Amino acid sequence: MRKLICLLLLLVFKVASSQTAYIRQYTTDKAEMPINIVQMNNFNLIALCISDEMLGYTESSRLIKTDNTGATEAEYSYELPGNSFYNITTIIPVNDSEFFTIARIKSDGLPFGQIGVIKFDTLLNVIWEKKFAVNQPSISNVFVTQNASGNIVIGAGLNTEAPQWVWSLVFMEITSDGDSIQSRYHTDGNPNHTNIYSLMEINGQYKAFVNGYASYVPYQGFSE
């Protein structure tokens, strides 16, 4: 009985000390979708993907800093001219005063896609910005992890776009200052289905969950 009473008291204290719920809307005259939300110290960072509903594709991203009541403290927008897009996919806190955003980029007039990395301070000032070209015109899924040295490791799914739609993977490692260390392409998966769905570091090794590798298992399916 004593254990149940202690648990009840803990739950009551937890509820009594929790933050009041709120509902906020962050919107423009275009379609916006939340891609990533991260809490740092006493504020939140929200990355929004902005789409043109008439044209049906992502064209830009908006980063919003809010306080713990949801009120907007600062904003940062990234747009590219013409039939291009800049899509922030990930926010990575570095310390109490700095963070990274990772984006997939498609620029008009350039044959290949790019992975963009921006380092911000907590006022949303840009500390530095780097872009890394890949060997295919389009980038799909992007996943990121950090290693013990603070380096950023990025894994992305690539494709050739219509009409072939040949898929492959790329992994790259950069320093916390945005300097490239290494990269590696993988084209040995199923060219119709290869993509990445998670990336992490475990015990000093990088683990990526991908599909399109049915040849590595003793049975056949749509995709493994």
Side-chain angles (χ1 to χ4, degrees):
M1 184 65 181
R2 184 177 299 171
K3 290 182 179 179
L4 292 176
I5 292 173
C6 288
L7 177 61
L8 178 62
L9 289 174
L10 286 172
L11 289 173
V12 170
F13 178 79
K14 180 67 175 178
V15 172
S17 62
S18 63
Q19 177 182 307
T20 303
Y22 64 84
I23 297 177
R24 296 276 183 176
Q25 291 183 332
Y26 311 97
T27 186
T28 64
D29 58 351
K30 295 185 178 181
E32 300 197 41
M33 178 184 298
I35 298 298
N36 205 246
I37 301 175
V38 170
Q39 185 175 42
M40 288 182 62
N41 301 325
N42 294 317
F43 63 88
N44 306 298
L45 294 167
I46 304 173
L48 295 170
C49 165
I50 304 174
S51 300
D52 189 314
E53 292 182 295
M54 297 297 294
L55 298 177
Y57 63 83
T58 300
E59 60 178 17
S60 59
S61 286
R62 186 156 64 109
L63 187 65
I64 302 175
K65 176 185 175 182
T66 76
D67 63 19
N68 280 337
T69 69
T72 299
E73 294 186 338
E75 291 189 30
Y76 180 88
S77 296
Y78 205 118
E79 299 185 19
L80 293 173
N83 186 20
S84 306
F85 66 76
Y86 190 102
N87 180 204
I88 294 175
T89 65
T90 310
I91 302 170
I92 306 176
V94 178
N95 49 47
D96 290 341
S97 59
E98 297 174 334
F99 64 94
F100 295 107
T101 60
I102 314 296
R104 56 193 187 103
I105 307 170
K106 176 70 173 179
S107 297
D108 242 359
L110 294 181
F112 300 124
Q114 297 172 301
I115 293 174
V117 184
I118 301 180
K119 189 174 186 178
F120 288 93
D121 65 20
T122 51
L123 298 177
L124 300 194
N125 296 313
V126 175
I127 300 173
W128 54 256
E129 177 184 2
K130 299 288 180 70
K131 295 177 182 177
F132 302 91
V134 296
N135 69 351
Q136 298 297 343
S138 186
I139 301 170
S140 57
N141 295 349
V142 178
F143 289 91
V144 184
T145 189
Q146 270 188 298
N147 61 26
S149 300
N151 294 338
I152 301 171
V153 179
I154 303 169
L158 311 176
N159 69 75
T160 60
E161 297 185 336
Q164 295 89 2
W165 295 106
V166 177
W167 291 80
S168 58
L169 300 172
V170 64
F171 296 91
M172 61 178 63
E173 181 180 5
I174 64 174
T175 69
S176 58
D177 293 320
D179 298 321
S180 177
I181 297 176
Q182 60 178 331
S183 63
R184 184 182 296 272
Y185 290 91
H186 289 267
T187 59
D188 51 350
N190 187 322
N192 298 313
H193 304 298
T194 300
N195 211 338
I196 183 170
Y197 295 94
S198 183
L199 176 65
M200 63 194 75
E201 184 189 19
I202 302 175
N203 297 328
Q205 293 182 326
Y206 302 117
K207 309 291 185 181
F209 288 92
V210 302
N211 67 355
Y213 282 80
S215 60
Y216 290 91
V217 294
Y219 52 84
Q220 291 298 316
F222 178 72
S223 182
E224 285 78 29

